[in-house]
Amino acid sequence: MRYQPIDQFLTTLPADKRASVYQSTKATHEKRTKLLFDEFPDPNHLRRIAGEIKQHTLENLDTYLPAVEAKMKANGVKVHWASTAEAANQAVLAIMRARGATKMVKAKTMVSEEIELAHFLEKHGIEALETDLGEFIVQIDGDHPSHIVRPIIHKNRREIATSFEREGLGAYNDDPETITRRARQFLRHKYLAADVGLTGANFVSVESGRLVLVTNEGNSRFSLAAPKCHIALVGIEKLVPRDRDLGLFLNLLARSATAQDLTVYTEFISGPKLATQPDGPEEMHVIFVDNGRTEVLASECREILRCIRCGACLNVCPVYRQVSGHAYRSVYPGPVGAVLSPLLAGERFATLADLPKASSLCGACNEVCPVNIPIPDLLLRLRNKAKLENVPSPGTPPMGAWALMASQPTAWRAALFGGKLLDYVPAKLIPVPAMQAWSAKRALPAWRGGEFRKWLKARASKRT
Amino acid sequence: MLNAERAPVTGKRVQLMATCLCDAFYDDVAAATVEVLEHLGVEVLFPDGQTCCGQPAFNGGDWAASRKVVRHAVRTFAGDEPVVVPSGSCAAMMFHGAVLEFEHEPDLPEVEALGRRTWELGDFIVNGLGVKTWPGRFDAKVALHRACHTRGTGSIAAALTLLNSITGVRVVEFGEVEQCCGFGGTFSVSFPNISTAMGALKLEHLRAAQPDVLVSPAMSCMMHIGGLAQAEGKPIKTLHLAQVLRDALKAK
């Protein structure tokens, strides 16, 4: 392979998909920026505070996790710990089996994508239905989400209408309102028939043991309202220390993710229904999922665990805007995914070691991150890790000879004069891959090696 | 480490880090930098052993190779004068990138010290020397490219301060200024399709604004945007900030 896989992927994308991903990410990013800067005198200050709170929490997980477990137990919640994806899936299955449950409705949760829960449950004869509209469409198409917040950013309404027709959800109609209404009618019965509702958690307050869920469709609320059992899958990094921290995080999350002041639905769940409450789940389980997170915490890229999955870095990223999510071959795409996915891959790091290279290191991701993750620095660390582990990197020029020259002034000066060659040989004919990659669409400036030094010397001799 | 808030400098002598790009392609930018600094009464020293800041290998992931080059820079730029560099990217390498790749190295303090002394040219003029207006004349509609590695530094604000103060300069805005031009060092050759697609977008925005000249605090972006435009057969005029400042002086 001459170039990087993500670069090759671009050449397979139809122009209209590229254009629509570009337009919608750009629009969300611009609205986000306007909203934050119109409403807060210094949003960057808020991002820094939020980053510090998350970093503090991560660095004290050893005390916060037992503390939140105790609080949740006191609230009547059953707490489980899953160190791997397999363990998390088994924990869900065990809860379902103990209740004789066969039907689950799922709210959107990235960690369930990460552990491939729906596939796992289906293999065990359990219906696990996605209720987020985007995830529902992904599910009926046997597709994968391509954005953290907007899983079907890669699809247009004509494709969706075709899928709905195929699934027997009505005759072809690509009007978005009709599509939404049909999904709603179909799902409504599913909620009522479900045995278990599964959600993630956007935040968990250690102080109160409350889970916080945000959606715009109300599907997580409905997933909790009808079934008798609620299971929440929660990555161990989701904690915040206090209830009052949620004010900051909810304000930042909605603005960063969807350019809203607040999501339409925000739920605070502290346990199963009380005896005095008429409705709600009788049983509530929280499964804390590690699945490689403690390894990340022990690495030099631990800041990535601050991530609150808003997708702002995807929306601003010039590379994501071109290639969209599937290019990243993993659950988490874009700048955050380019850091998180290879790390969570653990021993399979090498298979995703090209992701951190898919960045011009422009730093836009860091500028928009609501928890101020230094994403470019982490991408660079992972590039170095790949080099140290001898992972091949197609298209990256070797640096050894260059470093040797650049640390020896005599060799360097000789090369400056030697480069004159470039003026006589067309760059496209020079058998250096980097040169060919450059000159397919870009001209090189004329070689002027050593001219500045000559100018300086001539000037100095004139003056003396 | 970012250099956004540093104390102004007092001495009137600097070391020039010309950058490998100016050494190889853009000699006039380095010459303009010398003339601009001398106009301000600053004595410019040029350590002859200088090569490169080490960024290509740093970004390429070969930190061991990059550290070799940075160590060479630390030796070459010994002393306590400010180091002025006509590139926001090389400046950021010195005060941020190099520090990152030396975090476990015994000579980190020397690298940090060099980083603290290193200034991008515009940042040095405005925030280092406290010069906020520029004399002379430059009759042009100017678009200022926000070279990405100036994020979090004072460079862009400084460049705008200087440009806006020059008689005849009209700074024009263009779409998505915060978006990268697609250069990204080794990225430009290992991701050529994405890189050139990003560059094409940048060109589209620029052409819509119809500036007479595109100005940048770093030549790497100009090499990319300019090279792309030239290969399309529709070249655009690009200048480094130093060249605009120097040309303004000459037109006085």
Side-chain angles (χ1 to χ4, degrees), chain A residues 118-140:
Chain A
H119 290 293
F120 172 86
L121 291 178
E122 279 159 20
K123 263 191 268 166
H124 288 84
I126 287 171
E127 181 185 86
L129 191 74
E130 299 287 353
T131 60
D132 172 88
L133 181 57
E135 294 284 350
F136 174 71
I137 292 162
V138 164
Q139 189 173 40
I140 61 175

Side-chain angles (χ1 to χ4, degrees), chain B residues 141-164:
Chain B
K141 245 167 88 177
V142 167
L144 177 69
H145 174 62
R146 272 61 163 180
C148 289
H149 290 171
T150 60
R151 287 179 207 267
T153 75
S155 290
I156 292 301
L160 285 171
T161 299
L162 292 172
L163 286 171
N164 280 320

